[in-house]
Amino acid sequence: MEVGREAQYDVFAEEFLDHARDGFYNAHLDRPACLDLLGDVAGLRVLDAACGPGLYAEELVARGAAVVGVDISPQMVELSRRRVPAGEFRVHDLAEPLDWLPDASVDRVLFALAVEYVDDRVALLRELRRVLRPGGALVLSRQHPFGDWLRHGGNYFEPRVVEEVWSRGWRVRYWLSPLEQTCEELRAAGFLVERLLEPRPSPAAEALDPERFERLSREPTGFLAIRAVPDPRHCCQGERP
């Protein structure tokens, strides 16, 4: 059982940019939460893992960060390069080691809404920890597992791959997994969970969709975001998955 290495978003990259730029979930739930957990990035080097069309990178550069972005989708990387000329972007499959990044070479790692598409998540998380400098932090967001369970049913605690067709006709395959597993994978990779947020919509979102705003203000059916820091008890430099 696996998701595989297909660049799923490549076929609808431009549509996704239009959707995510100002869309309810991306612009008013996930991005504000992730940026909050990243904190002050001025003067820092940030790895944007699974950078998509560059919407997070654009904001990070505006806040004074030097951004290195990677994505498995060539179309997404091209959109990021156009959107954020100051960033450094490359096509990279996160199932492979980040061999071109030295140990302890970035201050922050952002891994937004993409962990569900990775089959060997512990190996990737170990690699992300390897490239973090001492005192660095990983900010990871994912679909809220409670919302996943409400949609798909079955055994909440059983990790499995599902395929969905989203409202715009986009077909995607990804992992369903409980929150416990995400925390255990972070622990196995040498991270400690510092903060966990269950984002509620920003006030500006109420005007976009009052009904959705009200529902997501009381139900955990959107996303969750985690800030994790390297566990000093685990040595990671030179380590490979």
Side-chain angles (χ1 to χ4, degrees):
M1 180 171 58
E2 63 179 22
V3 170
R5 297 189 177 191
E6 179 186 356
Q8 298 187 62
Y9 281 57
D10 213 45
V11 296
F12 51 82
E14 293 272 5
E15 288 181 87
F16 182 79
L17 171 58
D18 291 339
H19 163 78
R21 183 191 301 111
D22 303 306
F24 194 100
Y25 286 92
N26 297 86
H28 296 283
L29 275 178
D30 191 64
R31 281 207 300 278
C34 287
L35 292 166
D36 176 37
L37 290 179
L38 284 168
D40 183 4
V41 295
L44 301 185
R45 192 177 191 214
V46 180
L47 171 62
D48 188 355
C51 63
L55 294 167
Y56 298 83
E58 180 181 38
E59 183 60 33
L60 290 168
V61 167
R63 295 182 182 202
V67 174
V68 179
V70 300
D71 202 284
I72 193 174
S73 162
Q75 291 297 322
M76 289 295 194
V77 168
E78 180 56 32
L79 289 171
S80 289
R81 286 171 176 161
R82 282 189 234 154
R83 188 169 201 86
V84 193
E88 174 192 336
F89 300 96
R90 66 168 65 197
V91 178
H92 182 83
D93 181 353
L94 289 172
E96 299 293 333
L98 298 160
D99 283 338
W100 42 277
L101 277 177
D103 295 351
S105 57
V106 301
D107 302 288
R108 299 283 186 275
V109 175
L110 171 64
F111 189 28
L113 302 180
V115 69
E116 298 97 328
Y117 302 104
V118 177
D119 291 314
D120 191 344
R121 292 173 293 281
V122 173
L124 170 59
L125 291 169
R126 283 179 179 152
E127 186 71 347
L128 297 180
R129 179 171 58 88
R130 178 186 69 80
V131 303
L132 271 172
R133 292 185 176 125
L138 162 70
V139 171
L140 175 155
S141 65
R142 56 162 290 186
Q143 294 184 171
H144 201 295
F146 183 74
D148 286 342
W149 178 72
L150 282 179
R151 288 198 313 281
H152 294 280
N155 184 345
Y156 168 82
F157 295 103
E158 178 189 358
R160 63 194 191 275
V161 174
V162 297
E163 186 170 290
E164 279 187 329
V165 179
W166 290 350
S167 59
R168 297 195 178 200
W170 304 337
R171 185 176 297 275
V172 293
R173 281 170 55 83
Y174 62 93
W175 281 94
L176 297 185
S177 59
L179 175 58
E180 174 183 85
Q181 180 166 339
T182 297
C183 292
E184 284 299 298
E185 288 168 349
L186 285 163
R187 182 197 61 80
F191 282 101
L192 296 172
V193 173
E194 188 177 72
R195 291 182 65 195
L196 187 151
L197 299 181
E198 295 174 293
R200 269 78 88 194
S202 64
E206 186 171 13
L208 292 177
D209 190 329
E211 182 180 343
R212 184 175 292 172
F213 176 87
E214 193 276 332
R215 178 169 55 82
L216 286 170
S217 295
R218 59 181 170 80
E219 294 181 0
T221 53
F223 304 127
L224 62 81
I226 294 170
R227 178 182 167 106
V229 296
D231 185 342
R233 297 170 296 179
H234 290 256
C235 179
C236 66
Q237 292 198 3
E239 182 178 304
R240 288 292 187 274

